[in-house]
Amino acid sequence: MTETPKNPQPLGGNAMPRFGGPGTMMRLPAHESAADLDACFVGVPLDIGTSNRPGARYGPREIRNESVLLRPYNMATRAAPFNALKVADIGDIAINTFNMAASLEIIERAYDEILGHDCVPLTLGGDHTIALPILRAMKSKYGPVGMVHIDAHSDTSEAMFGESITHGTPFRRAVEEGLLNGERVVQIGLRGSGYSANDFDWARDQGFRVVPADECWHKSLTPLLEEIRGSLGPGPVYLSFDIDGIDPAFAGGTGTPEVGGLTSIQALEIIRGCQGLDLVGADLVEVAPVYDTSGNTSLLAANLLFEMLCVLPGVKSS
Ligand code: MN
Ligand code: MN
């Protein structure tokens, strides 16, 4: 009689107090690579693309720290992701913190390898620059992808201080390099002061649907996500979640906070509304724990990453 191999499970609070045990995401087993995994948590501790307050390099570690409180079952959606998928934490990518160009290469190669194992990466950032090499790897495997992008900022600037690779430019480069299908990109939560109307209009000119934060105020976003599922349709979609899309009242631990943002509840609605999309990867970026005295930003980030896991293809909800 052959037994079905048991999937890796998070270490439970009845087996080890939540303040003890391994430092992995959700206290999952640590794996050397993505081999034999359906999905993995992976950290990219890079913040040399940051324009204002630095510190997102500490994001992966602190998100893992706050993730100790997460339990394996989603009480709201009835998703039991660890029953459906083999998931582990494969640690951090060894970026070169002194060299952005080298780091981009390192990240892209690492994601080539993860995708080579047919594993869906759930990334703990790191600043938003890391989305560019990740999308390069996605293009190699899937061709141009669609994207659901939550952020206070469009991240489609031409350059910052003359530099083309920064956390404010990844999606401009991604369009130029043909990594994204602009007609299948939606940006949610954009706001704040800008340099000119063109800050957001460039994205619209590429076919992106832009949903500014003020169009989300006082509303459930569940109907918006239903629309988005319809317009994105089948085909690979990448989910990129900048924590600064959320209001600083809920997530102040970030480098470029903007007032008037989304609520934690709207964040859950967005991610839960991604169920049914062909998600091929997701990230949660820009958590800078040093500005997060309560730990709430990292706690929210950890929960959002769990929610992302709960909507991956193959995981059932109620
Ligand atoms: Mn961003
Ligand atoms: Mn941002």
Side-chain angles (χ1 to χ4, degrees), residues 109-164:
R109 294 289 88 80
Y111 280 75
D112 282 341
E113 200 211 315
I114 293 168
L115 298 177
H117 292 295
D118 292 322
C119 176
V120 177
L122 298 173
T123 301
L124 291 60
D127 78 46
H128 223 154
T129 316
I130 66 174
L132 179 61
I134 295 172
L135 287 171
R136 285 174 176 163
M138 292 284 165
K139 162 93 183 299
S140 302
K141 183 170 171 88
Y142 298 107
V145 296
M147 180 170 70
V148 177
H149 171 208
I150 298 90
D151 206 319
H153 314 97
S154 180
D155 293 354
T156 53
S157 294
E158 170 59 31
M160 299 184 89
F161 220 78
E163 295 293 329
S164 63

Side-chain angles (χ1 to χ4, degrees), residues 25-111:
M25 184 69 180
M26 292 186 74
R27 308 195 305 174
L28 282 159
H31 280 216
E32 291 285 310
S33 82
D36 301 321
L37 297 177
D38 300 309
C40 67
F41 291 107
V42 53
V44 185
L46 175 140
D47 69 359
I48 54 175
T50 310
S51 55
N52 189 40
R53 308 193 298 203
R57 67 180 62 184
Y58 301 114
R61 179 153 293 183
E62 199 54 30
I63 294 168
R64 288 184 176 107
N65 191 25
E66 292 294 337
S67 78
V68 299
L69 199 52
L70 289 167
R71 304 164 193 91
Y73 181 72
N74 191 317
M75 298 304 292
T77 69
R78 299 176 179 267
F82 301 101
N83 293 354
L85 304 177
K86 283 187 193 163
V87 188
D89 186 332
I90 65 164
D92 292 331
I93 309 292
I95 56 107
N96 179 345
T97 198
F98 304 105
N99 189 324
M100 178 63 94
S103 292
L104 261 56
E105 280 293 318
I106 292 165
I107 296 167
E108 186 180 348
R109 294 289 88 80
Y111 280 75

Side-chain angles (χ1 to χ4, degrees), residues 192-274:
S193 46
Y195 289 103
S196 74
N198 188 50
D199 289 7
F200 297 165
D201 286 347
W202 186 88
R204 291 188 175 98
D205 291 343
Q206 313 313 309
F208 292 15
R209 175 165 181 193
V210 176
V211 184
D214 54 274
E215 289 181 19
C216 301
W217 289 350
H218 318 297
K219 279 185 201 165
S220 165
L221 296 187
T222 300
L224 172 68
L225 267 287
E226 193 178 337
E227 253 181 68
I228 287 170
R229 285 196 304 277
S231 62
L232 294 190
V237 175
Y238 186 74
L239 172 59
S240 194
F241 203 121
D242 184 329
I243 198 69
D244 72 29
I246 308 305
D247 192 86
F250 304 98
T254 192
T256 324
E258 307 282 357
V259 303
L262 308 178
T263 66
S264 313
I265 293 169
Q266 288 175 317
L268 294 173
E269 289 176 328
I270 291 170
I271 296 175
R272 289 175 187 174
C274 287

